[in-house]
Amino acid sequence: MLSHLTISNFAIIDRLELDLAPGFNVFTGETGAGKSIIIDAVSLLLGGKADTDLIRSGAEKATVEGLFAIKPEALPEALREEVGGDEGLILSREISRSGRALARLNGRIIPLSMLKEVGQRLVDIHNQGEHLSLLRVKEHLDFLDRYAALYPQRERLAEEVGKLHGLRRELEKLLVDERELARQVDRLTQQIKEIQASKLRPGEDEELKKEHTIQANAQRLIAEANAAYEALYGNSEGEKGSLDLLADVKRILAGLEKIDTQLGKEREAAEEIQARLTDLARAIREYRDRIDYRPGRLAEIEERMDLIYNLKRKYGESIEQILAFAENAERELQGISHRTERIAQLQAEEKELLSRIGEMARQLSRARKEAVARLSSAIEEELKGLQMEKARFSAEIKHQPAEDGIEIDDQRLAFDATGIDLVEFMVSPNPGEPTKPLAKIASGGETSRLMLALKTVLVSADRTPSLIFDEIDAGLGARAGEIVGHKLWSLTSSHQVLC
Protein backbone atom coordinates (compact mmCIF):
# COMPACT_ATOMS: atom_id res chain seq x y z
CA MET A 1 0.00 0.00 0.00
CA LEU A 2 0.94 3.67 -0.41
CA SER A 3 1.83 4.76 3.12
CA HIS A 4 3.39 8.19 2.50
CA LEU A 5 3.29 10.67 -0.40
CA THR A 6 5.50 13.75 -0.82
CA ILE A 7 4.77 16.28 -3.59
CA SER A 8 7.00 19.31 -4.29
CA ASN A 9 6.53 22.15 -6.82
CA PHE A 10 3.88 20.24 -8.73
CA ALA A 11 1.13 22.33 -10.47
CA ILE A 12 -0.28 24.58 -7.71
CA ILE A 13 1.30 22.56 -4.88
CA ASP A 14 4.33 24.10 -3.15
CA ARG A 15 4.95 21.13 -0.83
CA LEU A 16 2.57 18.52 0.43
CA GLU A 17 3.16 15.49 2.63
CA LEU A 18 0.42 12.92 3.16
CA ASP A 19 0.33 9.94 5.51
CA LEU A 20 -2.21 7.44 4.18
CA ALA A 21 -4.06 4.79 6.14
CA PRO A 22 -4.02 1.14 5.09
CA GLY A 23 -7.80 0.97 4.69
CA PHE A 24 -10.26 3.64 3.51
CA ASN A 25 -9.00 7.14 2.56
CA VAL A 26 -11.31 9.89 1.23
CA PHE A 27 -10.33 13.26 -0.27
CA THR A 28 -13.17 15.78 -0.27
CA GLY A 29 -13.33 19.42 -1.30
CA GLU A 30 -14.79 21.94 -3.68
CA THR A 31 -13.98 21.93 -7.40
CA GLY A 32 -10.51 23.41 -7.87
CA ALA A 33 -9.36 22.51 -4.38
CA GLY A 34 -6.60 20.30 -5.83
CA LYS A 35 -7.98 16.78 -5.36
CA SER A 36 -7.29 15.74 -8.94
CA ILE A 37 -3.81 17.26 -8.82
CA ILE A 38 -2.91 14.71 -6.14
CA ILE A 39 -4.14 11.96 -8.47
CA ASP A 40 -2.10 13.48 -11.32
CA ALA A 41 0.97 13.43 -9.08
CA VAL A 42 0.45 9.74 -8.28
CA SER A 43 -0.01 9.07 -12.01
CA LEU A 44 3.34 10.76 -12.70
CA LEU A 45 4.93 8.70 -9.94
CA LEU A 46 3.71 5.50 -11.58
CA GLY A 47 5.23 6.32 -14.96
CA GLY A 48 2.74 8.79 -16.44
CA LYS A 49 3.72 11.42 -19.01
CA ALA A 50 6.22 13.97 -17.68
CA ASP A 51 5.18 17.41 -18.94
CA THR A 52 7.14 20.53 -17.97
CA ASP A 53 3.79 22.37 -17.65
CA LEU A 54 3.31 20.37 -14.44
CA ILE A 55 6.21 22.24 -12.75
CA ARG A 56 5.00 24.94 -10.36
CA SER A 57 5.50 28.49 -11.57
CA GLY A 58 8.85 29.87 -10.41
CA ALA A 59 10.37 26.45 -9.67
CA GLU A 60 13.06 24.67 -11.67
CA LYS A 61 11.85 21.11 -11.02
CA ALA A 62 8.95 19.13 -9.60
CA THR A 63 9.29 15.93 -7.56
CA VAL A 64 6.88 13.26 -6.38
CA GLU A 65 7.95 10.52 -3.99
CA GLY A 66 5.93 7.63 -2.59
CA LEU A 67 6.71 5.11 0.14
CA PHE A 68 5.01 1.75 -0.40
CA ALA A 69 4.68 -0.95 2.22
CA ILE A 70 4.78 -4.00 -0.02
CA LYS A 71 5.63 -7.68 0.18
CA PRO A 72 8.44 -8.78 -2.18
CA GLU A 73 6.28 -11.45 -3.83
CA ALA A 74 4.06 -8.70 -5.26
CA LEU A 75 6.90 -7.65 -7.56
CA PRO A 76 8.52 -9.40 -10.52
CA GLU A 77 11.25 -11.78 -9.37
CA ALA A 78 13.98 -9.59 -10.88
CA LEU A 79 12.89 -6.65 -8.68
CA ARG A 80 12.33 -8.47 -5.39
CA GLU A 81 15.85 -7.79 -4.14
CA GLU A 82 15.01 -4.07 -4.25
CA VAL A 83 12.55 -4.47 -1.37
CA GLY A 84 14.36 -4.56 1.95
CA GLY A 85 12.38 -6.05 4.82
CA ASP A 86 10.11 -3.61 6.63
CA GLU A 87 11.62 -0.57 4.92
CA GLY A 88 9.35 -1.05 1.91
CA LEU A 89 9.77 0.44 -1.51
CA ILE A 90 10.42 4.10 -2.40
CA LEU A 91 9.48 5.32 -5.87
CA SER A 92 10.32 8.84 -6.97
CA ARG A 93 9.92 10.90 -10.14
CA GLU A 94 11.55 14.21 -10.98
CA ILE A 95 10.94 16.53 -13.94
CA SER A 96 12.96 19.66 -14.71
CA ARG A 97 12.46 22.72 -16.87
CA SER A 98 15.03 21.34 -19.34
CA GLY A 99 12.65 18.47 -20.04
CA ARG A 100 14.81 15.91 -18.29
CA ALA A 101 12.87 13.34 -16.27
CA LEU A 102 14.36 10.91 -13.75
CA ALA A 103 12.80 7.85 -12.13
CA ARG A 104 14.24 6.20 -9.04
CA LEU A 105 13.59 2.98 -7.18
CA ASN A 106 14.97 3.01 -3.62
CA GLY A 107 17.33 5.81 -4.66
CA ARG A 108 18.64 4.01 -7.75
CA ILE A 109 17.92 5.54 -11.17
CA ILE A 110 15.84 3.14 -13.28
CA PRO A 111 14.36 3.20 -16.80
CA LEU A 112 10.83 4.50 -17.22
CA SER A 113 9.74 1.06 -18.48
CA MET A 114 10.78 -0.48 -15.17
CA LEU A 115 8.98 2.25 -13.22
CA LYS A 116 5.79 1.52 -15.16
CA GLU A 117 6.17 -2.23 -14.58
CA VAL A 118 6.51 -1.70 -10.84
CA GLY A 119 3.77 0.94 -10.75
CA GLN A 120 1.25 -1.36 -12.43
CA ARG A 121 1.67 -3.79 -9.55
CA LEU A 122 1.23 -1.14 -6.85
CA VAL A 123 -1.72 1.07 -7.78
CA ASP A 124 -4.80 1.06 -10.01
CA ILE A 125 -6.10 4.55 -10.83
CA HIS A 126 -9.70 4.29 -12.01
CA ASN A 127 -10.07 7.02 -14.55
CA GLN A 128 -6.71 6.78 -16.31
CA GLY A 129 -6.53 3.64 -18.38
CA GLU A 130 -2.78 3.20 -18.38
CA HIS A 131 -2.82 2.15 -14.73
CA LEU A 132 -5.89 -0.13 -14.86
CA SER A 133 -4.87 -3.73 -14.45
CA LEU A 134 -8.35 -4.79 -15.56
CA LEU A 135 -7.80 -3.05 -18.90
CA ARG A 136 -4.68 -5.12 -19.61
CA VAL A 137 -6.10 -7.99 -21.63
CA LYS A 138 -3.16 -10.30 -20.95
CA GLU A 139 -4.10 -10.24 -17.24
CA HIS A 140 -7.76 -11.20 -17.73
CA LEU A 141 -6.89 -14.89 -17.76
CA ASP A 142 -5.03 -14.50 -14.45
CA PHE A 143 -8.03 -12.71 -12.89
CA LEU A 144 -10.39 -15.43 -14.04
CA ASP A 145 -8.17 -18.24 -12.77
CA ARG A 146 -7.68 -16.60 -9.38
CA TYR A 147 -11.41 -15.87 -9.12
CA ALA A 148 -12.25 -19.51 -9.89
CA ALA A 149 -9.38 -20.91 -7.76
CA LEU A 150 -7.94 -22.66 -10.82
CA TYR A 151 -4.28 -21.89 -10.17
CA PRO A 152 -3.43 -25.35 -8.70
CA GLN A 153 -4.93 -26.99 -11.80
CA ARG A 154 -3.11 -24.51 -14.04
CA GLU A 155 0.24 -25.13 -12.29
CA ARG A 156 -0.06 -28.88 -12.86
CA LEU A 157 -0.64 -28.17 -16.54
CA ALA A 158 2.36 -25.80 -16.64
CA GLU A 159 4.56 -28.54 -15.20
CA GLU A 160 3.59 -30.92 -18.01
CA VAL A 161 4.11 -28.20 -20.63
CA GLY A 162 7.58 -27.58 -19.18
CA LYS A 163 8.39 -31.27 -19.63
CA LEU A 164 7.17 -31.09 -23.23
CA HIS A 165 9.39 -28.09 -24.00
CA GLY A 166 12.42 -29.93 -22.62
CA LEU A 167 11.58 -33.04 -24.62
CA ARG A 168 11.11 -31.03 -27.81
CA ARG A 169 14.45 -29.28 -27.34
CA GLU A 170 16.20 -32.63 -27.15
CA LEU A 171 14.23 -33.94 -30.12
CA GLU A 172 15.05 -30.85 -32.18
CA LYS A 173 18.72 -31.32 -31.37
CA LEU A 174 18.57 -34.89 -32.64
CA LEU A 175 16.66 -33.98 -35.79
CA VAL A 176 19.47 -31.89 -37.23
CA ASP A 177 20.36 -31.84 -40.91
CA GLU A 178 21.61 -35.24 -42.06
CA ARG A 179 24.68 -33.75 -43.74
CA GLU A 180 25.62 -31.88 -40.59
CA LEU A 181 25.13 -35.10 -38.65
CA ALA A 182 27.41 -36.99 -41.06
CA ARG A 183 30.05 -34.28 -40.67
CA GLN A 184 29.72 -34.53 -36.92
CA VAL A 185 30.22 -38.32 -37.02
CA ASP A 186 33.36 -37.89 -39.18
CA ARG A 187 34.73 -35.22 -36.85
CA LEU A 188 34.14 -37.26 -33.68
CA THR A 189 35.54 -40.43 -35.27
CA GLN A 190 38.70 -38.59 -36.35
CA GLN A 191 39.17 -37.02 -32.92
CA ILE A 192 38.75 -40.33 -31.12
CA LYS A 193 41.11 -42.10 -33.55
CA GLU A 194 43.79 -39.40 -33.16
CA ILE A 195 43.71 -39.55 -29.35
CA GLN A 196 43.61 -43.36 -29.19
CA ALA A 197 46.51 -43.67 -31.69
CA SER A 198 48.69 -41.51 -29.44
CA LYS A 199 48.38 -44.09 -26.59
CA LEU A 200 48.75 -41.43 -23.94
CA ARG A 201 49.47 -42.28 -20.32
CA PRO A 202 48.60 -39.97 -17.42
CA GLY A 203 51.80 -38.27 -16.22
CA GLU A 204 53.69 -39.18 -19.38
CA ASP A 205 54.40 -35.55 -20.25
CA GLU A 206 56.23 -34.97 -16.96
CA GLU A 207 58.26 -38.14 -17.43
CA LEU A 208 59.26 -37.00 -20.91
CA LYS A 209 60.38 -33.59 -19.62
CA LYS A 210 62.72 -35.29 -17.11
CA GLU A 211 64.08 -37.74 -19.67
CA HIS A 212 64.60 -34.94 -22.18
CA THR A 213 66.72 -33.03 -19.67
CA ILE A 214 68.87 -36.11 -18.99
CA GLN A 215 69.32 -37.08 -22.65
CA ALA A 216 70.20 -33.52 -23.59
CA ASN A 217 72.96 -33.55 -20.93
CA ALA A 218 73.83 -37.27 -20.98
CA GLN A 219 77.45 -36.99 -22.14
CA ARG A 220 78.25 -34.38 -19.53
CA LEU A 221 76.49 -36.35 -16.80
CA ILE A 222 78.47 -39.53 -17.69
CA ALA A 223 81.79 -37.65 -17.86
CA GLU A 224 81.26 -35.78 -14.59
CA ALA A 225 80.02 -38.87 -12.74
CA ASN A 226 83.06 -40.85 -14.00
CA ALA A 227 85.38 -38.02 -12.87
CA ALA A 228 83.78 -38.12 -9.41
CA TYR A 229 84.17 -41.92 -9.30
CA GLU A 230 87.87 -41.77 -10.30
CA ALA A 231 88.44 -39.06 -7.71
CA LEU A 232 87.30 -41.60 -5.13
CA TYR A 233 88.82 -44.82 -6.56
CA GLY A 234 91.71 -43.60 -8.69
CA ASN A 235 92.19 -43.93 -12.42
CA SER A 236 93.76 -46.30 -14.91
CA GLU A 237 96.94 -44.20 -15.05
CA GLY A 238 97.84 -45.15 -11.51
CA GLU A 239 96.80 -41.92 -9.80
CA LYS A 240 95.49 -42.59 -6.33
CA GLY A 241 91.91 -41.66 -5.41
CA SER A 242 90.49 -40.48 -2.11
CA LEU A 243 89.83 -44.05 -0.94
CA ASP A 244 93.47 -45.06 -1.56
CA LEU A 245 94.71 -42.04 0.38
CA LEU A 246 92.18 -42.74 3.14
CA ALA A 247 93.47 -46.33 3.32
CA ASP A 248 96.96 -44.96 3.88
CA VAL A 249 95.63 -42.69 6.64
CA LYS A 250 93.85 -45.64 8.30
CA ARG A 251 97.03 -47.80 8.16
CA ILE A 252 99.13 -45.01 9.69
CA LEU A 253 96.59 -44.42 12.47
CA ALA A 254 96.45 -48.15 13.19
CA GLY A 255 100.21 -48.22 13.66
CA LEU A 256 100.18 -45.15 15.87
CA GLU A 257 97.35 -46.60 17.96
CA LYS A 258 99.66 -49.38 19.06
CA ILE A 259 101.91 -46.71 20.57
CA ASP A 260 99.14 -44.40 21.85
CA THR A 261 95.67 -45.89 22.35
CA GLN A 262 94.17 -42.41 22.42
CA LEU A 263 94.20 -42.48 18.59
CA GLY A 264 91.59 -45.28 18.52
CA LYS A 265 88.75 -42.84 17.95
CA GLU A 266 90.54 -41.26 15.02
CA ARG A 267 91.19 -44.70 13.44
CA GLU A 268 87.51 -45.62 13.87
CA ALA A 269 86.49 -42.30 12.26
CA ALA A 270 88.80 -43.05 9.31
CA GLU A 271 87.21 -46.50 8.94
CA GLU A 272 83.68 -44.98 9.04
CA ILE A 273 84.61 -42.33 6.45
CA GLN A 274 86.15 -45.04 4.26
CA ALA A 275 82.95 -47.11 4.43
CA ARG A 276 80.79 -44.09 3.56
CA LEU A 277 83.04 -43.04 0.69
CA THR A 278 82.98 -46.61 -0.60
CA ASP A 279 79.12 -46.48 -0.62
CA LEU A 280 79.27 -43.07 -2.32
CA ALA A 281 81.64 -44.32 -5.01
CA ARG A 282 79.41 -47.36 -5.65
CA ALA A 283 76.30 -45.12 -5.95
CA ILE A 284 78.08 -42.76 -8.39
CA ARG A 285 79.20 -45.71 -10.52
CA GLU A 286 75.70 -47.19 -10.60
CA TYR A 287 74.26 -43.78 -11.57
CA ARG A 288 76.86 -43.44 -14.36
CA ASP A 289 76.09 -46.91 -15.66
CA ARG A 290 72.32 -46.29 -15.59
CA ILE A 291 72.51 -43.36 -18.00
CA ASP A 292 71.30 -44.85 -21.27
CA TYR A 293 72.69 -42.36 -23.74
CA ARG A 294 71.35 -42.93 -27.24
CA PRO A 295 71.94 -40.18 -29.80
CA GLY A 296 68.57 -40.89 -31.54
CA ARG A 297 66.53 -40.99 -28.31
CA LEU A 298 66.52 -37.19 -27.87
CA ALA A 299 64.81 -36.72 -31.25
CA GLU A 300 62.23 -39.39 -30.32
CA ILE A 301 61.43 -37.60 -27.05
CA GLU A 302 61.06 -34.22 -28.76
CA GLU A 303 58.76 -35.73 -31.40
CA ARG A 304 56.59 -37.28 -28.66
CA MET A 305 56.48 -33.99 -26.73
CA ASP A 306 55.40 -32.15 -29.89
CA LEU A 307 52.61 -34.67 -30.39
CA ILE A 308 51.34 -34.19 -26.82
CA TYR A 309 51.60 -30.39 -27.17
CA ASN A 310 49.44 -30.45 -30.31
CA LEU A 311 46.88 -32.71 -28.64
CA LYS A 312 46.71 -30.36 -25.64
CA ARG A 313 46.17 -27.41 -27.96
CA LYS A 314 43.16 -29.20 -29.49
CA TYR A 315 41.59 -31.15 -26.66
CA GLY A 316 42.67 -29.99 -23.20
CA GLU A 317 45.35 -28.53 -20.96
CA SER A 318 46.50 -31.89 -19.58
CA ILE A 319 46.71 -35.53 -20.64
CA GLU A 320 43.84 -36.29 -18.26
CA GLN A 321 41.65 -33.70 -20.00
CA ILE A 322 42.59 -35.10 -23.43
CA LEU A 323 41.56 -38.61 -22.37
CA ALA A 324 38.32 -37.23 -20.87
CA PHE A 325 37.62 -35.46 -24.18
CA ALA A 326 37.97 -38.77 -26.00
CA GLU A 327 35.54 -40.45 -23.58
CA ASN A 328 32.97 -37.69 -24.07
CA ALA A 329 33.39 -37.89 -27.84
CA GLU A 330 32.79 -41.64 -27.72
CA ARG A 331 29.62 -41.11 -25.69
CA GLU A 332 28.43 -38.45 -28.14
CA LEU A 333 29.20 -40.72 -31.08
CA GLN A 334 27.35 -43.55 -29.39
CA GLY A 335 24.41 -41.21 -28.83
CA ILE A 336 24.35 -40.35 -32.53
CA SER A 337 24.57 -44.04 -33.40
CA HIS A 338 21.48 -44.70 -31.29
CA ARG A 339 19.82 -41.54 -32.56
CA THR A 340 17.05 -43.32 -34.48
CA GLU A 341 15.93 -45.30 -31.42
CA ARG A 342 16.09 -42.21 -29.20
CA ILE A 343 14.09 -40.16 -31.72
CA ALA A 344 11.40 -42.86 -31.82
CA GLN A 345 11.35 -42.96 -28.01
CA LEU A 346 11.06 -39.16 -27.70
CA GLN A 347 8.36 -38.99 -30.35
CA ALA A 348 6.34 -41.60 -28.45
CA GLU A 349 6.82 -39.64 -25.21
CA GLU A 350 5.84 -36.42 -27.01
CA LYS A 351 2.64 -38.00 -28.26
CA GLU A 352 1.78 -39.24 -24.79
CA LEU A 353 2.57 -35.84 -23.24
CA LEU A 354 0.49 -33.98 -25.83
CA SER A 355 -2.43 -36.28 -25.12
CA ARG A 356 -2.11 -35.68 -21.38
CA ILE A 357 -1.69 -31.91 -21.84
CA GLY A 358 -4.68 -31.88 -24.19
CA GLU A 359 -6.91 -33.54 -21.62
CA MET A 360 -5.69 -31.24 -18.82
CA ALA A 361 -6.17 -28.15 -21.03
CA ARG A 362 -9.66 -29.33 -22.02
CA GLN A 363 -10.66 -29.75 -18.36
CA LEU A 364 -9.17 -26.37 -17.44
CA SER A 365 -10.98 -24.68 -20.33
CA ARG A 366 -14.26 -26.28 -19.29
CA ALA A 367 -13.75 -25.06 -15.70
CA ARG A 368 -13.07 -21.55 -17.00
CA LYS A 369 -16.24 -21.51 -19.09
CA GLU A 370 -18.23 -22.52 -16.02
CA ALA A 371 -16.48 -19.82 -13.98
CA VAL A 372 -17.30 -17.19 -16.62
CA ALA A 373 -21.01 -17.81 -16.09
CA ARG A 374 -20.64 -17.29 -12.33
CA LEU A 375 -18.41 -14.26 -12.77
CA SER A 376 -20.78 -12.62 -15.28
CA SER A 377 -23.77 -13.13 -13.05
CA ALA A 378 -21.96 -11.74 -9.99
CA ILE A 379 -20.68 -8.64 -11.80
CA GLU A 380 -24.05 -7.87 -13.42
CA GLU A 381 -25.62 -8.10 -9.97
CA GLU A 382 -23.09 -5.59 -8.63
CA LEU A 383 -23.77 -3.25 -11.58
CA LYS A 384 -27.49 -3.19 -10.79
CA GLY A 385 -26.76 -1.50 -7.46
CA LEU A 386 -24.63 1.07 -9.26
CA GLN A 387 -27.44 2.30 -11.54
CA MET A 388 -26.22 0.17 -14.45
CA GLU A 389 -29.14 -2.28 -14.35
CA LYS A 390 -29.07 -3.00 -18.08
CA ALA A 391 -25.32 -3.53 -18.37
CA ARG A 392 -24.13 -6.98 -19.37
CA PHE A 393 -20.74 -8.57 -18.69
CA SER A 394 -19.08 -11.66 -20.12
CA ALA A 395 -15.65 -13.10 -20.75
CA GLU A 396 -14.83 -14.20 -24.27
CA ILE A 397 -12.73 -17.34 -24.47
CA LYS A 398 -10.97 -17.83 -27.81
CA HIS A 399 -8.66 -20.48 -29.22
CA GLN A 400 -5.97 -20.12 -31.84
CA PRO A 401 -5.26 -22.87 -34.40
CA ALA A 402 -1.65 -24.10 -34.67
CA GLU A 403 -0.08 -26.92 -36.65
CA ASP A 404 2.16 -27.89 -33.74
CA GLY A 405 -0.62 -27.48 -31.17
CA ILE A 406 -2.59 -30.04 -29.19
CA GLU A 407 -5.52 -31.89 -30.67
CA ILE A 408 -8.86 -31.10 -29.05
CA ASP A 409 -12.16 -32.03 -30.69
CA ASP A 410 -10.49 -32.71 -34.06
CA GLN A 411 -8.69 -29.33 -33.99
CA ARG A 412 -5.05 -28.50 -33.38
CA LEU A 413 -4.92 -25.52 -30.99
CA ALA A 414 -2.07 -23.33 -29.81
CA PHE A 415 -1.19 -23.72 -26.14
CA ASP A 416 1.25 -22.55 -23.52
CA ALA A 417 1.77 -23.07 -19.80
CA THR A 418 -1.68 -21.53 -19.11
CA GLY A 419 -3.56 -23.84 -21.49
CA ILE A 420 -5.40 -23.18 -24.74
CA ASP A 421 -7.58 -20.24 -23.72
CA LEU A 422 -7.27 -16.56 -24.65
CA VAL A 423 -9.54 -14.63 -22.30
CA GLU A 424 -10.87 -11.09 -22.70
CA PHE A 425 -13.49 -9.36 -20.56
CA MET A 426 -16.45 -7.98 -22.56
CA VAL A 427 -19.03 -5.38 -21.51
CA SER A 428 -22.23 -3.87 -22.87
CA PRO A 429 -23.10 -0.78 -20.76
CA ASN A 430 -26.38 -0.05 -22.55
CA PRO A 431 -29.33 -2.29 -23.50
CA GLY A 432 -29.45 -3.45 -27.09
CA GLU A 433 -25.72 -2.99 -27.67
CA PRO A 434 -23.49 -6.03 -28.27
CA THR A 435 -20.73 -6.70 -25.78
CA LYS A 436 -17.39 -5.12 -26.67
CA PRO A 437 -13.89 -5.47 -25.24
CA LEU A 438 -13.64 -3.90 -21.80
CA ALA A 439 -10.50 -1.99 -22.83
CA LYS A 440 -12.40 -0.21 -25.63
CA ILE A 441 -15.65 0.79 -23.94
CA ALA A 442 -14.44 1.52 -20.41
CA SER A 443 -14.31 5.29 -20.55
CA GLY A 444 -16.26 8.32 -19.49
CA GLY A 445 -18.54 8.48 -16.46
CA GLU A 446 -19.21 4.72 -16.34
CA THR A 447 -15.58 3.74 -15.94
CA SER A 448 -15.26 3.98 -12.17
CA ARG A 449 -18.58 2.27 -11.46
CA LEU A 450 -17.79 -0.52 -13.88
CA MET A 451 -14.37 -1.01 -12.32
CA LEU A 452 -15.83 -0.87 -8.83
CA ALA A 453 -18.21 -3.70 -9.69
CA LEU A 454 -15.36 -5.72 -11.17
CA LYS A 455 -13.11 -5.03 -8.20
CA THR A 456 -15.85 -5.95 -5.74
CA VAL A 457 -16.38 -9.34 -7.36
CA LEU A 458 -12.71 -9.96 -8.10
CA VAL A 459 -11.47 -8.65 -4.77
CA SER A 460 -9.93 -11.99 -3.83
CA ALA A 461 -8.31 -12.33 -7.26
CA ASP A 462 -6.91 -8.79 -7.54
CA ARG A 463 -3.37 -8.47 -6.20
CA THR A 464 -2.99 -4.72 -6.79
CA PRO A 465 -2.68 -3.40 -3.20
CA SER A 466 -3.87 0.22 -3.69
CA LEU A 467 -6.97 1.34 -5.60
CA ILE A 468 -7.79 4.96 -6.45
CA PHE A 469 -11.33 5.93 -7.54
CA ASP A 470 -11.60 9.46 -8.89
CA GLU A 471 -15.11 11.03 -8.59
CA ILE A 472 -16.79 7.63 -8.54
CA ASP A 473 -19.98 9.22 -7.13
CA ALA A 474 -20.42 11.59 -10.10
CA GLY A 475 -24.00 11.48 -11.39
CA LEU A 476 -25.26 9.15 -8.65
CA GLY A 477 -28.16 9.82 -6.32
CA ALA A 478 -28.00 9.47 -2.55
CA ARG A 479 -29.24 5.84 -2.56
CA ALA A 480 -26.75 4.73 -5.19
CA GLY A 481 -24.04 6.74 -3.44
CA GLU A 482 -24.67 4.81 -0.24
CA ILE A 483 -24.37 1.51 -2.14
CA VAL A 484 -21.11 2.71 -3.69
CA GLY A 485 -19.82 3.61 -0.24
CA HIS A 486 -20.57 0.12 1.09
CA LYS A 487 -18.87 -1.49 -1.89
CA LEU A 488 -15.80 0.68 -1.51
CA TRP A 489 -15.66 -0.19 2.16
CA SER A 490 -15.88 -3.91 1.35
CA LEU A 491 -12.74 -3.59 -0.78
CA THR A 492 -10.68 -2.46 2.22
CA SER A 493 -10.60 -6.02 3.59
CA SER A 494 -7.75 -6.73 1.15
CA HIS A 495 -6.90 -3.35 -0.43
CA GLN A 496 -6.03 0.21 0.40
CA VAL A 497 -8.74 2.43 -1.12
CA LEU A 498 -8.36 6.12 -1.98
CA CYS A 499 -11.40 8.13 -3.18
Side-chain angles (χ1 to χ4, degrees):
M1 63 163 231
L2 177 59
S3 59
H4 187 82
L5 183 66
T6 301
I7 305 171
S8 298
N9 296 321
F10 185 85
I12 62 171
I13 296 175
D14 177 11
R15 182 172 178 85
L16 175 66
E17 295 206 27
L18 290 173
D19 286 311
L20 301 166
F24 200 41
N25 299 264
V26 180
F27 296 84
T28 64
E30 297 295 332
T31 300
K35 304 183 298 299
S36 294
I37 292 176
I38 295 174
I39 306 303
D40 291 340
V42 174
S43 177
L44 177 72
L45 180 64
L46 301 176
K49 184 178 179 181
D51 193 331
T52 55
D53 290 341
L54 295 173
I55 302 174
R56 186 168 178 264
S57 179
E60 287 302 313
K61 64 179 180 179
T63 59
V64 182
E65 185 173 270
L67 173 62
F68 294 85
I70 182 173
K71 294 180 180 178
E73 55 265 27
L75 289 174
E77 191 170 346
L79 297 172
R80 289 177 188 173
E81 61 184 31
E82 300 291 344
V83 184
D86 296 331
E87 297 176 5
L89 190 81
I90 299 174
L91 287 183
S92 65
R93 192 89 187 276
E94 176 185 299
I95 52 176
S96 64
R97 290 283 179 196
S98 64
R100 187 184 181 196
L102 292 177
R104 289 187 175 87
L105 173 62
N106 282 2
R108 182 170 65 89
I109 294 177
I110 59 172
L112 181 61
S113 58
M114 184 183 293
L115 180 72
K116 288 181 177 180
E117 185 180 2
V118 175
Q120 287 176 352
R121 286 166 169 79
L122 299 176
V123 180
D124 265 354
I125 301 178
H126 295 285
N127 81 339
Q128 301 183 39
E130 65 180 308
H131 298 303
L132 288 176
S133 58
L134 283 167
L135 296 185
R136 296 192 287 272
V137 177
K138 63 182 181 180
E139 297 190 22
H140 290 182
L141 178 64
D142 296 341
F143 275 116
L144 180 61
D145 285 348
R146 285 198 292 269
Y147 168 77
L150 294 175
Y151 258 81
Q153 192 173 338
R154 172 168 150 176
E155 286 168 359
R156 288 192 294 271
L157 171 64
E159 186 178 345
E160 295 299 304
V161 172
K163 290 179 186 176
L164 178 67
H165 289 329
L167 183 150
R168 281 182 166 174
R169 280 193 297 271
E170 184 180 354
L171 191 57
E172 185 179 356
K173 192 176 178 181
L174 289 172
L175 291 170
V176 293
D177 179 75
E178 290 295 328
R179 289 181 183 175
E180 175 59 31
L181 198 63
R183 285 194 290 269
Q184 193 174 353
V185 168
D186 288 343
R187 176 175 55 79
L188 290 171
T189 302
Q190 180 60 34
Q191 289 171 339
I192 293 167
K193 191 181 294 183
E194 184 180 20
I195 294 172
Q196 288 179 343
S198 66
K199 296 181 180 178
L200 294 175
R201 290 182 295 102
E204 181 184 359
D205 47 351
E206 294 301 320
E207 294 173 9
L208 287 169
K209 284 181 185 178
K210 292 177 182 177
E211 188 180 357
H212 183 273
T213 301
I214 290 175
Q215 284 294 324
N217 299 278
Q219 290 177 302
R220 179 186 172 189
L221 290 171
I222 292 171
E224 297 289 349
N226 189 63
Y229 179 75
E230 287 181 350
L232 290 169
Y233 260 117
N235 57 32
S236 57
E237 296 177 0
E239 292 182 7
K240 287 186 176 183
S242 298
L243 284 168
D244 293 330
L245 295 173
L246 194 58
D248 292 341
V249 173
K250 188 178 71 169
R251 186 176 62 255
I252 292 168
L253 289 173
L256 293 174
E257 185 182 2
K258 291 177 183 179
I259 300 170
D260 187 353
T261 57
Q262 290 183 9
L263 293 171
K265 289 183 179 179
E266 283 71 10
R267 178 189 55 77
E268 290 174 358
E271 288 177 351
E272 183 181 347
I273 293 170
Q274 185 183 35
R276 295 183 66 179
L277 285 177
T278 301
D279 290 340
L280 176 61
R282 187 181 301 112
I284 291 173
R285 185 189 65 204
E286 290 174 354
Y287 171 76
R288 178 198 67 191
D289 295 342
R290 272 200 315 274
I291 297 174
D292 181 20
Y293 174 60
R294 290 175 286 159
R297 178 58 183 160
L298 187 61
E300 292 175 2
I301 293 171
E302 289 176 347
E303 185 179 348
R304 183 69 175 170
M305 290 175 72
D306 284 343
L307 172 66
I308 293 174
Y309 171 78
N310 288 326
L311 290 174
K312 284 182 177 179
R313 188 167 51 82
K314 293 179 184 178
Y315 306 120
E317 296 179 357
S318 66
I319 288 178
E320 288 77 9
Q321 288 184 9
I322 295 170
L323 295 173
F325 184 95
E327 290 176 7
N328 292 333
E330 285 179 333
R331 279 195 292 270
E332 191 175 348
L333 188 60
Q334 197 173 33
I336 293 173
S337 302
H338 296 105
R339 165 177 164 272
T340 306
E341 297 138 22
R342 180 60 178 159
I343 286 173
Q345 180 187 354
L346 289 173
Q347 286 174 336
E349 290 178 13
E350 181 186 29
K351 186 176 180 181
E352 183 181 341
L353 256 178
L354 282 169
S355 176
R356 190 156 63 244
I357 289 170
E359 182 55 34
M360 294 174 75
R362 183 188 290 108
Q363 292 177 8
L364 184 57
S365 184
R366 187 183 303 124
R368 284 168 176 159
K369 288 174 184 174
E370 293 171 358
V372 165
R374 299 195 304 273
L375 177 64
S376 299
S377 177
I379 289 176
E380 287 174 4
E381 190 63 33
E382 291 291 333
L383 290 172
K384 287 179 183 177
L386 295 171
Q387 294 185 350
M388 295 180 71
E389 296 86 351
K390 304 297 182 180
R392 288 186 298 119
F393 177 91
S394 67
E396 186 176 68
I397 297 180
K398 293 181 179 179
H399 303 131
Q400 188 173 342
E403 290 183 6
D404 61 343
I406 49 179
E407 189 172 347
I408 295 180
D409 300 330
D410 298 326
Q411 292 184 11
R412 285 207 168 272
L413 303 177
F415 69 98
D416 59 17
T418 66
I420 57 173
D421 300 318
L422 301 172
V423 175
E424 183 170 11
F425 292 161
M426 311 288 286
V427 174
S428 171
N430 303 308
E433 293 182 359
T435 57
K436 295 179 181 178
L438 175 64
K440 292 183 178 178
I441 65 94
S443 60
E446 298 160 336
T447 302
S448 293
R449 282 179 285 166
L450 183 56
M451 292 305 163
L452 179 58
L454 290 168
K455 291 286 183 182
T456 304
V457 174
L458 297 172
V459 63
S460 61
D462 187 1
R463 295 181 178 177
T464 310
S466 298
L467 310 177
I468 297 177
F469 294 92
D470 190 13
E471 297 188 3
I472 192 170
D473 57 341
L476 297 180
R479 179 172 175 75
E482 184 178 356
I483 295 172
V484 168
H486 282 293
K487 292 188 185 302
L488 288 170
W489 180 261
S490 70
L491 293 176
T492 60
S493 60
S494 56
H495 297 77
Q496 178 191 40
V497 177
L498 284 69
C499 295

